[in-house]
PDB file of all heavy atoms in Angstrom:
ATOM      1  N   VAL A  16     -31.303 -24.545 -85.232  1.00 97.00           N
ATOM      2  CA  VAL A  16     -30.738 -25.376 -86.308  1.00 97.00           C
ATOM      3  C   VAL A  16     -29.236 -25.470 -86.072  1.00 97.00           C
ATOM      4  O   VAL A  16     -28.522 -24.467 -86.144  1.00 97.00           O
ATOM      5  CB  VAL A  16     -31.023 -24.769 -87.700  1.00 97.00           C
ATOM      6  CG1 VAL A  16     -30.611 -25.763 -88.789  1.00 97.00           C
ATOM      7  CG2 VAL A  16     -32.485 -24.390 -87.841  1.00 97.00           C
ATOM      8  N   GLY A  17     -28.744 -26.685 -85.772  1.00 97.00           N
ATOM      9  CA  GLY A  17     -27.323 -26.901 -85.533  1.00 97.00           C
ATOM     10  C   GLY A  17     -27.041 -27.180 -84.067  1.00 97.00           C
ATOM     11  O   GLY A  17     -27.254 -26.328 -83.209  1.00 97.00           O
ATOM     12  N   ALA A  18     -26.575 -28.403 -83.781  1.00 98.00           N
ATOM     13  CA  ALA A  18     -26.249 -28.782 -82.398  1.00 98.00           C
ATOM     14  C   ALA A  18     -24.741 -28.777 -82.208  1.00 98.00           C
ATOM     15  O   ALA A  18     -24.133 -29.777 -81.834  1.00 98.00           O
ATOM     16  CB  ALA A  18     -26.837 -30.150 -82.054  1.00 98.00           C
ATOM     17  N   LEU A  39     -32.337 -29.171 -84.014  1.00 97.00           N
ATOM     18  CA  LEU A  39     -32.254 -30.072 -85.173  1.00 97.00           C
ATOM     19  C   LEU A  39     -30.823 -30.091 -85.702  1.00 97.00           C
ATOM     20  O   LEU A  39     -30.253 -29.039 -86.012  1.00 97.00           O
ATOM     21  CB  LEU A  39     -33.206 -29.594 -86.276  1.00 97.00           C
ATOM     22  CG  LEU A  39     -34.690 -29.603 -85.922  1.00 97.00           C
ATOM     23  CD1 LEU A  39     -35.523 -29.003 -87.055  1.00 97.00           C
ATOM     24  CD2 LEU A  39     -35.163 -31.036 -85.615  1.00 97.00           C
ATOM     25  N   GLU A  40     -30.253 -31.282 -85.814  1.00 96.00           N
ATOM     26  CA  GLU A  40     -28.841 -31.438 -86.228  1.00 96.00           C
ATOM     27  C   GLU A  40     -28.782 -32.424 -87.392  1.00 96.00           C
ATOM     28  O   GLU A  40     -29.355 -33.494 -87.317  1.00 96.00           O
ATOM     29  CB  GLU A  40     -28.026 -31.966 -85.030  1.00 96.00           C
ATOM     30  CG  GLU A  40     -26.642 -32.496 -85.373  1.00 96.00           C
ATOM     31  CD  GLU A  40     -25.742 -31.467 -86.054  1.00 96.00           C
ATOM     32  OE1 GLU A  40     -25.586 -30.358 -85.528  1.00 96.00           O
ATOM     33  OE2 GLU A  40     -25.199 -31.791 -87.136  1.00 96.00           O
ATOM     34  N   HIS A  41     -28.060 -32.058 -88.462  1.00 93.00           N
ATOM     35  CA  HIS A  41     -28.063 -32.965 -89.613  1.00 93.00           C
ATOM     36  C   HIS A  41     -27.035 -34.082 -89.499  1.00 93.00           C
ATOM     37  O   HIS A  41     -27.171 -35.114 -90.128  1.00 93.00           O
ATOM     38  CB  HIS A  41     -27.934 -32.197 -90.932  1.00 93.00           C
ATOM     39  CG  HIS A  41     -26.548 -31.812 -91.318  1.00 93.00           C
ATOM     40  ND1 HIS A  41     -26.163 -31.664 -92.623  1.00 93.00           N
ATOM     41  CD2 HIS A  41     -25.472 -31.532 -90.575  1.00 93.00           C
ATOM     42  CE1 HIS A  41     -24.902 -31.303 -92.651  1.00 93.00           C
ATOM     43  NE2 HIS A  41     -24.461 -31.201 -91.440  1.00 93.00           N
ATOM     44  N   ALA A  42     -26.010 -33.917 -88.658  1.00 94.00           N
ATOM     45  CA  ALA A  42     -24.999 -34.981 -88.544  1.00 94.00           C
ATOM     46  C   ALA A  42     -25.545 -36.128 -87.681  1.00 94.00           C
ATOM     47  O   ALA A  42     -26.591 -35.999 -87.049  1.00 94.00           O
ATOM     48  CB  ALA A  42     -23.731 -34.409 -87.934  1.00 94.00           C
ATOM     49  N   ASN A  43     -24.783 -37.239 -87.652  1.00 95.00           N
ATOM     50  CA  ASN A  43     -25.253 -38.403 -86.887  1.00 95.00           C
ATOM     51  C   ASN A  43     -25.012 -38.250 -85.389  1.00 95.00           C
ATOM     52  O   ASN A  43     -25.487 -39.031 -84.589  1.00 95.00           O
ATOM     53  CB  ASN A  43     -24.590 -39.683 -87.398  1.00 95.00           C
ATOM     54  CG  ASN A  43     -23.081 -39.594 -87.325  1.00 95.00           C
ATOM     55  OD1 ASN A  43     -22.533 -38.516 -87.079  1.00 95.00           O
ATOM     56  ND2 ASN A  43     -22.402 -40.691 -87.529  1.00 95.00           N
ATOM     57  N   ARG A  44     -24.222 -37.229 -84.997  1.00 95.00           N
ATOM     58  CA  ARG A  44     -24.057 -36.940 -83.564  1.00 95.00           C
ATOM     59  C   ARG A  44     -23.827 -35.453 -83.361  1.00 95.00           C
ATOM     60  O   ARG A  44     -23.446 -34.751 -84.297  1.00 95.00           O
ATOM     61  CB  ARG A  44     -22.931 -37.779 -82.953  1.00 95.00           C
ATOM     62  CG  ARG A  44     -21.582 -37.558 -83.580  1.00 95.00           C
ATOM     63  CD  ARG A  44     -20.602 -38.614 -83.162  1.00 95.00           C
ATOM     64  NE  ARG A  44     -20.391 -38.621 -81.717  1.00 95.00           N
ATOM     65  CZ  ARG A  44     -19.424 -39.297 -81.108  1.00 95.00           C
ATOM     66  NH1 ARG A  44     -18.610 -40.058 -81.807  1.00 95.00           N
ATOM     67  NH2 ARG A  44     -19.273 -39.244 -79.811  1.00 95.00           N
ATOM     68  N   VAL A 133     -32.460 -33.602 -81.760  1.00 97.00           N
ATOM     69  CA  VAL A 133     -32.694 -34.631 -82.771  1.00 97.00           C
ATOM     70  C   VAL A 133     -31.538 -34.609 -83.773  1.00 97.00           C
ATOM     71  O   VAL A 133     -31.241 -33.562 -84.351  1.00 97.00           O
ATOM     72  CB  VAL A 133     -34.018 -34.364 -83.521  1.00 97.00           C
ATOM     73  CG1 VAL A 133     -34.275 -35.456 -84.551  1.00 97.00           C
ATOM     74  CG2 VAL A 133     -35.177 -34.259 -82.557  1.00 97.00           C
ATOM     75  N   THR A 134     -30.873 -35.744 -83.969  1.00 96.00           N
ATOM     76  CA  THR A 134     -29.763 -35.816 -84.933  1.00 96.00           C
ATOM     77  C   THR A 134     -30.259 -36.401 -86.266  1.00 96.00           C
ATOM     78  O   THR A 134     -31.417 -36.786 -86.395  1.00 96.00           O
ATOM     79  CB  THR A 134     -28.614 -36.683 -84.387  1.00 96.00           C
ATOM     80  OG1 THR A 134     -29.156 -37.961 -84.045  1.00 96.00           O
ATOM     81  CG2 THR A 134     -27.963 -36.039 -83.176  1.00 96.00           C
ATOM     82  N   ARG A 135     -29.360 -36.493 -87.234  1.00 95.00           N
ATOM     83  CA  ARG A 135     -29.649 -37.021 -88.583  1.00 95.00           C
ATOM     84  C   ARG A 135     -30.871 -36.345 -89.200  1.00 95.00           C
ATOM     85  O   ARG A 135     -31.670 -36.999 -89.880  1.00 95.00           O
ATOM     86  CB  ARG A 135     -29.898 -38.540 -88.541  1.00 95.00           C
ATOM     87  CG  ARG A 135     -28.724 -39.348 -88.025  1.00 95.00           C
ATOM     88  CD  ARG A 135     -29.142 -40.802 -87.943  1.00 95.00           C
ATOM     89  NE  ARG A 135     -28.250 -41.568 -87.111  1.00 95.00           N
ATOM     90  CZ  ARG A 135     -27.182 -42.205 -87.538  1.00 95.00           C
ATOM     91  NH1 ARG A 135     -26.866 -42.175 -88.813  1.00 95.00           N
ATOM     92  NH2 ARG A 135     -26.413 -42.878 -86.712  1.00 95.00           N
ATOM     93  N   THR A 136     -31.016 -35.051 -88.952  1.00 94.00           N
ATOM     94  CA  THR A 136     -32.195 -34.340 -89.454  1.00 94.00           C
ATOM     95  C   THR A 136     -31.799 -32.997 -90.064  1.00 94.00           C
ATOM     96  O   THR A 136     -31.887 -31.955 -89.399  1.00 94.00           O
ATOM     97  CB  THR A 136     -33.221 -34.143 -88.309  1.00 94.00           C
ATOM     98  OG1 THR A 136     -33.491 -35.423 -87.733  1.00 94.00           O
ATOM     99  CG2 THR A 136     -34.508 -33.536 -88.814  1.00 94.00           C
ATOM    100  N   PRO A 137     -31.344 -33.005 -91.294  1.00 91.00           N
ATOM    101  CA  PRO A 137     -31.007 -31.726 -91.921  1.00 91.00           C
ATOM    102  C   PRO A 137     -32.248 -30.883 -92.170  1.00 91.00           C
ATOM    103  O   PRO A 137     -33.293 -31.410 -92.551  1.00 91.00           O
ATOM    104  CB  PRO A 137     -30.348 -32.135 -93.247  1.00 91.00           C
ATOM    105  CG  PRO A 137     -30.725 -33.547 -93.472  1.00 91.00           C
ATOM    106  CD  PRO A 137     -31.086 -34.165 -92.150  1.00 91.00           C
ATOM    107  N   VAL A 138     -32.107 -29.613 -91.914  1.00 93.00           N
ATOM    108  CA  VAL A 138     -33.179 -28.690 -92.275  1.00 93.00           C
ATOM    109  C   VAL A 138     -32.919 -28.290 -93.720  1.00 93.00           C
ATOM    110  O   VAL A 138     -31.822 -27.853 -94.055  1.00 93.00           O
ATOM    111  CB  VAL A 138     -33.150 -27.451 -91.359  1.00 93.00           C
ATOM    112  CG1 VAL A 138     -34.139 -26.401 -91.839  1.00 93.00           C
ATOM    113  CG2 VAL A 138     -33.439 -27.861 -89.927  1.00 93.00           C
ATOM    114  N   PRO A 171     -15.719 -29.551 -94.197  1.00 88.00           N
ATOM    115  CA  PRO A 171     -16.995 -30.080 -94.712  1.00 88.00           C
ATOM    116  C   PRO A 171     -17.230 -31.533 -94.309  1.00 88.00           C
ATOM    117  O   PRO A 171     -18.371 -31.932 -94.055  1.00 88.00           O
ATOM    118  CB  PRO A 171     -16.841 -29.966 -96.240  1.00 88.00           C
ATOM    119  CG  PRO A 171     -15.646 -29.111 -96.483  1.00 88.00           C
ATOM    120  CD  PRO A 171     -14.846 -29.010 -95.221  1.00 88.00           C
ATOM    121  N   MET A 173     -16.849 -32.900 -91.614  1.00 82.00           N
ATOM    122  CA  MET A 173     -17.400 -32.954 -90.250  1.00 82.00           C
ATOM    123  C   MET A 173     -18.849 -32.477 -90.230  1.00 82.00           C
ATOM    124  O   MET A 173     -19.439 -32.280 -89.171  1.00 82.00           O
ATOM    125  CB  MET A 173     -16.594 -32.046 -89.322  1.00 82.00           C
ATOM    126  CG  MET A 173     -15.302 -32.618 -88.880  1.00 82.00           C
ATOM    127  SD  MET A 173     -15.623 -33.991 -87.769  1.00 82.00           S
ATOM    128  CE  MET A 173     -14.731 -35.243 -88.628  1.00 82.00           C
ATOM    129  N   GLY A 174     -19.420 -32.182 -91.394  1.00 78.00           N
ATOM    130  CA  GLY A 174     -20.829 -31.766 -91.420  1.00 78.00           C
ATOM    131  C   GLY A 174     -21.025 -30.286 -91.683  1.00 78.00           C
ATOM    132  O   GLY A 174     -22.149 -29.795 -91.651  1.00 78.00           O
ATOM    133  N   ALA A 175     -19.917 -29.558 -91.925  1.00 89.00           N
ATOM    134  CA  ALA A 175     -20.067 -28.112 -92.163  1.00 89.00           C
ATOM    135  C   ALA A 175     -20.816 -27.870 -93.466  1.00 89.00           C
ATOM    136  O   ALA A 175     -20.575 -28.543 -94.470  1.00 89.00           O
ATOM    137  CB  ALA A 175     -18.692 -27.452 -92.223  1.00 89.00           C
ATOM    138  N   THR A 176     -21.730 -26.913 -93.423  1.00 86.00           N
ATOM    139  CA  THR A 176     -22.472 -26.544 -94.631  1.00 86.00           C
ATOM    140  C   THR A 176     -22.529 -25.014 -94.705  1.00 86.00           C
ATOM    141  O   THR A 176     -22.270 -24.328 -93.724  1.00 86.00           O
ATOM    142  CB  THR A 176     -23.936 -27.049 -94.586  1.00 86.00           C
ATOM    143  OG1 THR A 176     -24.641 -26.290 -93.581  1.00 86.00           O
ATOM    144  CG2 THR A 176     -24.028 -28.523 -94.282  1.00 86.00           C
TER     145      THR A 176
END
Side-chain angles (χ1 to χ4, degrees):
V16 189
L39 297 175
E40 166 58 52
H41 82 151
N43 57 349
R44 60 193 299 191
V133 181
T134 55
R135 299 176 197 269
T136 306
V138 173
M173 282 291 124
T176 69

